[in-house]
Structure formats: C-alpha cells, structure tokens
Amino acid sequence: QKEVEQDPGPLSVPEGAIVSLNCTYSNSAFQYFMWYRQYSRKGPELLMYTYSSGNKEDGRFTAQVDKSSKYISLFIRDSQPSDSATYLCAMRDSGGYQKVTFGTGTKLQVIP
Amino acid sequence: GAVVSQHPSRVICKSGTSVKIECRSLDFQATTMFWYRQFPKQSLMLMATSNEGSKATYEQGVEKDKFLINHASLTLSTLTVTSAHPEDSSFYICSARDPRSGELFFGEGSRLTVL
C-alpha cells in the first residue's frame, strides 16, 4: 500500500463546475499538507499549505484536512479552463528530515 | 513570493557524456534543497536531499556515483548526471525550503534527453 493514494483521473468538468480532488494517506505522523498545481512540462506550483486538521480558503480554492480519517481534499469553485493541470497532494511530518511524500497527481481538464 | 530557478530547462546529450543541472534559490537562503525525478504520468520521486556544506543524502536505489550532488552555497545546488544513458532521460526537478515559512518551492524542471 502506498503512503499516499490519489486518483490519477483524468477528471473532465465543464467550466464553472465545482471540482473536488482527494487524497488518502496511511502515515498518522503527517502533520503538514500541501496541494501543488503542475502544468505540462513545468515544475509544481504551491497552491495551498495547511497544518493539521481543518479548512483553509484562498480565493476559489479550499483545502480540507481530516486527520481522523486520513483524508484531504482540495475544492475548486467556479473552475476555469486555466485550472486545467495536474494537481498533486503532498504531505510531511514534523521531523527534522522533513521529507515530503507526494501523491501521483490528478489530471484535471476544464472544458470551456 | 519565493522563486527557485532551475537551469537548463532542456538538455539533449549523447550517451556517455555528463550533464549538470543547476538549482538556485533567488529570494532566500536554503540550507536544504531536494532533487526529484518525474516520469510521464507519475509523481515526483525524491532522489536525494542536498545539504549545504555536507554530503547529500540519497534515497534508496539512487546511485550516488551516477547522480552527483553539490550544494556549495546557500543558494545553489547542482545535480550532475554522469555517463548518461538513454534510461536516464527524464524530467528532473529541484526544490528548496523557504526557512521563513517552511514552504517548499519548486524549480521549473529540466528535461533531459539522452540519445
């Protein structure tokens, strides 16, 4: 079993839809949770960064963390064609090594 | 925001030659940088952790003599792929942690093609 599981998609939605992207994980030591957006042939770009459980909102993006269920989500409201990319969840513990573990990424396509 | 610069973005080389990729943190000093490899439709695989002023820490299965990492300053880490072969063709990405926020920022990636 992988430490982090993420549905690879692809996920195709019409413009304006609400998108839900999810990851599950098995390591209860993970404390920090991130979502990255990666356009084709580019490096990942940090979207959201959260600590422990709860919600965090930034514009059209909302990140949720449920540590009891070991489940994290990223919601995108009013999705735009420019949101078409691969979204990677990532997480790490609070240890000194601070190794980050990534999901495989979900490819999202927003159709105009 | 913080910026991590990676160069070159694309490189094509002949089999048996060595290739150097640079990773620079432009807005902050990074004592630790990370090097990843990404295959098509797969996630980032951590290759090694680059520590300024000391030896890099390699992940299991990564050949230290093939992927040489040097972190000579607080803003620069280099990855050298030695005696490259076609199977080394991949997308290599570096990242650096901003000590002010703890956030991890990535370079734009370098696509290596070995003929």
Side-chain angles (χ1 to χ4, degrees):
Chain A
Q1 182 189 7
K2 292 181 182 178
E3 271 195 303
V4 179
E5 298 276 359
Q6 184 175 7
D7 187 338
L11 180 62
S12 185
V13 301
E15 183 175 354
I18 296 175
V19 177
S20 173
L21 304 167
N22 312 294
C23 287
T24 58
Y25 62 95
S26 57
N27 188 343
S28 57
F30 287 142
Q31 296 285 341
Y32 297 86
F33 304 90
M34 291 77 74
W35 284 96
Y36 289 87
R37 177 174 61 195
Q38 185 177 22
Y39 291 111
S40 181
R41 303 189 181 191
K42 297 289 186 181
E45 169 194 12
L46 180 67
L47 278 178
M48 301 287 281
Y49 181 64
T50 55
Y51 171 71
S52 198
S53 286
N55 294 358
K56 184 175 182 179
E57 188 173 319
D58 184 1
R60 296 185 295 111
F61 299 91
T62 300
Q64 285 187 352
V65 175
D66 182 347
K67 289 191 67 182
S68 62
S69 302
K70 297 189 178 66
Y71 187 86
I72 69 171
S73 301
L74 177 70
F75 296 96
I76 307 175
R77 291 183 298 280
D78 188 23
S79 56
Q80 302 295 311
S82 58
D83 295 328
S84 298
T86 295
Y87 290 80
L88 297 152
C89 65
M91 45 200 80
R92 65 175 178 91
D93 61 27
S94 57
Y97 185 64
Q98 298 185 347
K99 176 182 173 180
V100 177
T101 302
F102 289 86
T104 52
T106 299
K107 187 171 184 178
L108 171 67
Q109 184 178 20
V110 180
I111 302 169
Chain B
V3 176
V4 174
S5 173
Q6 195 171 335
H7 176 81
S9 58
R10 265 177 204 259
V11 58
I12 301 173
C13 69
K14 293 182 179 180
S15 185
T17 60
S18 294
V19 174
K20 180 185 284 187
I21 302 170
E22 292 186 349
C23 180
R24 294 181 185 272
S25 58
L26 301 182
D27 292 343
F28 57 90
Q29 294 183 329
T31 56
T32 304
M33 292 185 176
F34 303 89
W35 287 95
Y36 298 84
R37 186 172 178 175
Q38 188 177 33
F39 292 102
K41 300 184 180 181
Q42 294 190 27
S43 190
L44 286 77
M45 298 298 295
L46 180 64
M47 297 174 65
T49 302
S50 173
N51 304 299
E52 189 269 336
S54 65
K55 292 183 180 180
T57 305
Y58 289 82
E59 294 299 301
Q60 192 173 7
V62 177
E63 297 177 61
K64 301 177 183 181
D65 295 332
K66 180 160 195 64
F67 299 100
L68 300 179
I69 291 172
N70 184 280
H71 195 151
S73 78
L74 288 171
T75 59
L76 174 64
S77 175
T78 61
L79 168 69
T80 301
V81 183
T82 63
S83 186
H85 289 92
E87 58 265 29
D88 298 324
S89 299
S90 189
F91 194 50
Y92 293 89
I93 308 174
C94 73
S95 69
R97 186 175 309 287
D98 186 341
R100 299 167 294 187
S101 63
E103 295 179 22
L104 193 65
F105 293 93
F106 286 84
E108 286 286 282
S110 299
R111 182 160 301 282
L112 170 64
T113 302
V114 184
L115 302 176

